[in-house]
Amino acid sequence: MKVLVTVKRVVDYNVKVRPKSDGSGADLNNVKMSINPFCEIAVEEAVRLKEKGVATEVVVVSIGDKGCQEQIRTALALGADRGIQVDAGTDLQPLAIAKLLKAVCDKEQPSLVIMGKQSIDGDNNQTGQMLGALSGMPQGTFASVVEASGDSVNVTREVDGGLQTVALKLPAIVTTDLRLNEPRYASLPNIMKAKKKPLDVTTPEELGVTVASNITLVKAEPPAERSAGIKVDSVATLVDKLKNEAKVI
């Protein structure tokens, strides 16, 4: 079984993002970048499938400029076998990304595609579902348990009512939730080995995909600061303020 895993280069989750002074976007100068946390979970799940003998090859793909090769190498250090970079812009919309991933899937023919359910920068939670629609592959989103066997995979997913398990015929798409696993740390020997693992570079033109966007960012600005709270001396005062000032009751 070949497993294709997607990884995205994002601002590290410990970094506080600030907009540029002209409001044209986020200020990424000298900002630490890392693998999207949900994508890191996807890589870990694929590597575990390989360690169990279920998967035979783990291929990592990332879409972006040359900088995303750092995140591909990190995924290779975590246990993936080879990487693919689609050399495109960093401001692509989910539909364009899904089209590029479909082209990669058509070329690689993976049995299973594992993706993070969303990225922590755009927070769209759309790419996996769009890829499923474009490719016609069944999908299991928000996975908390993945059990692959033979030509099918059972995905336990988190829904509003609790847990739901779906059985998918391969090839299929799985998007990962936070509770699926806990990613490992890359060891120094594996980091050194990752430098020698193959990493292919392709372009949207070579894949035959047009990535022009119909969405324009108008302005980026920080959220309004929350005003300080107040203390009240009685329940009656609290109820009065909730009713007359906050108007929530």
Side-chain angles (χ1 to χ4, degrees):
M1 176 193 292
K2 179 190 289 187
V3 180
L4 183 74
V5 186
T6 62
V7 297
K8 185 176 182 181
R9 175 180 171 89
V10 299
V11 176
D12 189 87
Y13 68 92
N14 288 311
V15 175
K16 184 177 181 180
V17 181
R18 293 180 174 83
K20 295 178 181 178
S21 58
D22 60 359
S24 61
D27 187 359
L28 302 181
N29 289 329
N30 300 317
V31 172
K32 181 182 177 182
M33 308 294 285
S34 63
I35 296 179
N36 176 51
F38 291 101
C39 298
E40 198 171 14
I41 292 170
V43 173
E44 174 66 23
E45 192 64 23
V47 172
R48 291 188 184 188
L49 289 174
K50 183 183 176 184
E51 291 173 343
K52 293 176 183 177
V54 176
T56 56
E57 183 183 25
V58 177
V59 183
V60 176
V61 59
S62 185
I63 299 171
D65 57 23
K66 190 175 181 180
C68 72
Q69 291 189 11
E70 177 187 355
Q71 280 61 50
I72 295 176
R73 292 294 181 190
T74 300
L76 295 175
L78 292 173
D81 298 300
R82 60 186 176 92
I84 300 172
Q85 178 208 351
V86 181
D87 192 0
T90 58
D91 57 348
L92 298 182
Q93 297 302 315
L95 182 57
I97 295 172
K99 289 179 179 179
L100 290 170
L101 291 177
K102 180 185 181 298
V104 173
C105 288
D106 291 342
K107 182 179 179 180
E108 291 290 329
Q109 293 294 307
S111 298
L112 183 63
V113 179
I114 306 180
M115 312 171 62
K117 72 170 185 177
Q118 65 194 78
S119 61
I120 61 173
D121 51 3
D123 247 5
N124 292 308
N125 182 19
Q126 295 175 344
T127 307
Q129 292 87 330
M130 288 180 172
L131 177 59
L134 292 172
S135 64
M137 288 190 282
Q139 57 181 291
T141 55
F142 318 126
S144 58
V145 178
V146 175
E147 297 173 333
S149 177
D151 63 347
S152 65
V153 57
N154 290 342
V155 178
T156 300
R157 53 193 303 269
E158 300 185 353
V159 296
D160 291 340
L163 298 177
Q164 178 190 63
T165 301
V166 294
L168 310 175
K169 286 289 185 182
L170 299 178
I173 299 169
V174 173
T175 69
T176 62
D177 212 335
L178 286 174
R179 281 161 288 282
L180 179 58
N181 61 51
E182 184 173 344
R184 70 193 69 189
Y185 290 100
S187 64
L188 181 58
N190 287 337
I191 293 175
M192 301 305 294
K193 292 177 183 177
K195 295 180 180 180
K196 298 181 180 180
K197 291 184 178 181
L199 195 164
D200 299 324
V201 180
T202 186
T203 64
E205 291 75 21
E206 291 175 351
L207 294 173
V209 178
T210 301
V211 295
S213 175
N214 294 321
I215 299 176
T216 303
L217 175 64
V218 177
K219 186 179 181 182
E221 58 185 10
E225 295 186 5
R226 295 179 61 180
S227 57
I230 60 172
K231 293 183 178 180
V232 295
D233 53 8
S234 67
V235 174
T237 305
L238 173 62
V239 172
D240 178 68
K241 289 187 175 294
L242 290 175
K243 183 177 181 180
N244 298 313
E245 294 185 16
K247 299 187 184 300
V248 295
I249 60 174

